[in-house]
Amino acid sequence: MINREWHLLSRPVGWPKPEDFALVEAEVPQPGEGQVLVRNEYLSVDPYMRGRMNAAKSYAEPYELGRPMQGGAVGEVVASEAEGIAVGDHVLHFGGWREYAAVNARGAVKVDPAAAPLPAYLGVLGMTGLTAYAGLLRIASFKEGDAVFVSGAAGAVGGQAGQIARLKGASRVIGSAGSDEKVRLLTEEYGFDAAFNYRNGPVAEQLKAAAPDGVDVYFDNVGGEHLEAAIGSLNLGGRIAVCGMISGYNNTEPAPGPRNLARLIQTRGRIQGFLVGDHYDLQPEFVREVGAWVRSGELKYRETVVEGVEHTLEAFLGVLRGDNTGKMIVKL
């Protein structure tokens, strides 16, 4: 049996190029003691993976050159050398970017395909969903009545952050997105009070028009011009949760910081970055609350599905371009 897996061949400079990667054929691995062999059914591609392609020290180990890359995946167990996980079970794990993965059972989580569609465990009920939940409620200290601005709001994290704010009693939810179609999604399906296309004009001007009374919380997925605009509209005691800064991920030179940071003094504002890995203690509460909203239809979500392991790289590059609406998923 042949296993196709994506390897990183060279560290990208600027935008990743196809020649930085290779789809390699290898033998299907056999599980060792305490491991399970998973036939992956769905793979996740996410913006944070761009940082792991660099050699610089960060919060996650860089991808090794000439070795399979890693990422979220969900699939069926086809061989098991571990107690508690049987052949036929479905598990969530981090042996993505490949068709088959031998993973340690302690790093795999059993999921129920009868309770939710398998791709949901990579998105709305998975890491991206928990990121939105923790970032809004814990890092940004959201409280009922807050006005909330979310950048990259049609993405997997942003769309959920805005809807959770609405369901928790926000006075106003504003989102930015990169197309008029995505803007309509935010207001017509996700229930945002206002949204704008950041390509249609200066972000600061569009934000002030959408939130004339300012914002109390900014959930940042984009950085750059969006962050500066949010600081400019921040109300007294405002909070900014920095989840990502995708606008600068492929820069070859450091992006200049916001020019108006002094306004945080005037507003007594707070800005804090976070990683979802520090907040898995919220997982039970998150699954219980968000799972109920998903089942009731109160929380909507979208997925952009690309088929075939051979198209995983293109799906990832699509995330960096903003091609996806909601969670980008690769179906094997």
Side-chain angles (χ1 to χ4, degrees), residues 198 201-205 218 222-230 247:
Y198 65 82
V203 174
E205 293 179 9
Y218 172 47
V222 175
E225 184 185 1
H226 278 79
L227 178 57
E228 184 170 291
S247 66

Side-chain angles (χ1 to χ4, degrees), residues 131-142 148 161 164-165 217 219 241 274:
T131 300
Y133 192 86
L136 180 73
L137 302 182
R138 175 172 283 174
I139 304 303
S141 304
F142 170 86
V148 176
I164 292 171
V217 167
F219 194 107
F274 73 100

Side-chain angles (χ1 to χ4, degrees), residues 46 63 65 75-76 108 181 201 271:
D46 301 280
Y63 289 134
L65 296 181
E76 182 180 359
E181 181 182 4
I271 180 169

Side-chain angles (χ1 to χ4, degrees), residues 38-52:
V38 184
R39 178 178 59 81
N40 287 331
E41 297 181 47
Y42 297 93
L43 308 178
S44 175
V45 286
D46 301 280
Y48 80 86
M49 294 173 173
R50 177 62 185 87
R52 295 194 66 183

Side-chain angles (χ1 to χ4, degrees), residues 38-257:
V38 184
R39 178 178 59 81
N40 287 331
E41 297 181 47
Y42 297 93
L43 308 178
S44 175
V45 286
D46 301 280
Y48 80 86
M49 294 173 173
R50 177 62 185 87
R52 295 194 66 183
M53 295 172 188
N54 299 330
K57 185 177 180 180
S58 184
Y59 62 87
E61 289 294 321
Y63 289 134
E64 294 182 54
L65 296 181
R67 297 282 299 164
M69 293 189 291
Q70 300 167 340
V74 65
E76 182 180 359
V77 175
V78 295
S80 176
E81 297 293 337
E83 293 185 8
I85 301 181
V87 171
D89 285 344
H90 286 81
V91 296
L92 174 68
H93 61 95
F94 280 91
W97 287 83
R98 69 198 85 176
E99 292 176 307
Y100 288 85
V103 299
N104 293 327
R106 64 178 180 270
V109 178
K110 286 202 290 187
V111 296
D112 184 0
L118 288 177
Y121 295 106
L122 295 173
V124 65
L125 296 178
M127 184 180 71
T128 54
L130 181 60
T131 300
Y133 192 86
L136 180 73
L137 302 182
R138 175 172 283 174
I139 304 303
S141 304
F142 170 86
K143 61 183 183 297
E144 187 176 355
D146 280 342
V148 176
F149 171 44
V150 182
S151 59
V157 174
Q160 204 154 338
Q163 290 186 79
I164 292 171
R166 174 178 58 80
L167 289 163
K168 287 282 192 179
S171 61
R172 189 167 179 79
V173 179
I174 304 100
S176 71
S179 73
D180 293 340
E181 181 182 4
K182 290 180 178 180
V183 166
R184 287 192 295 271
L185 169 72
L186 296 178
T187 56
E188 296 175 8
E189 186 170 328
Y190 287 0
F192 281 54
D193 296 286
F196 59 86
N197 182 346
Y198 65 82
R199 303 181 195 274
N200 287 347
V203 174
E205 293 179 9
Q206 296 195 78
L207 178 57
K208 287 186 182 299
D213 296 324
V215 297
D216 302 296
V217 167
Y218 172 47
F219 194 107
D220 189 16
N221 292 302
V222 175
E225 184 185 1
H226 278 79
L227 178 57
E228 184 170 291
I231 293 172
S233 287
L234 206 63
N235 288 333
L236 188 67
R239 290 87 65 203
I240 296 174
V242 180
C243 174
M245 293 189 172
I246 196 170
S247 66
Y249 285 175
N250 295 303
N251 290 353
T252 56
E253 298 293 334

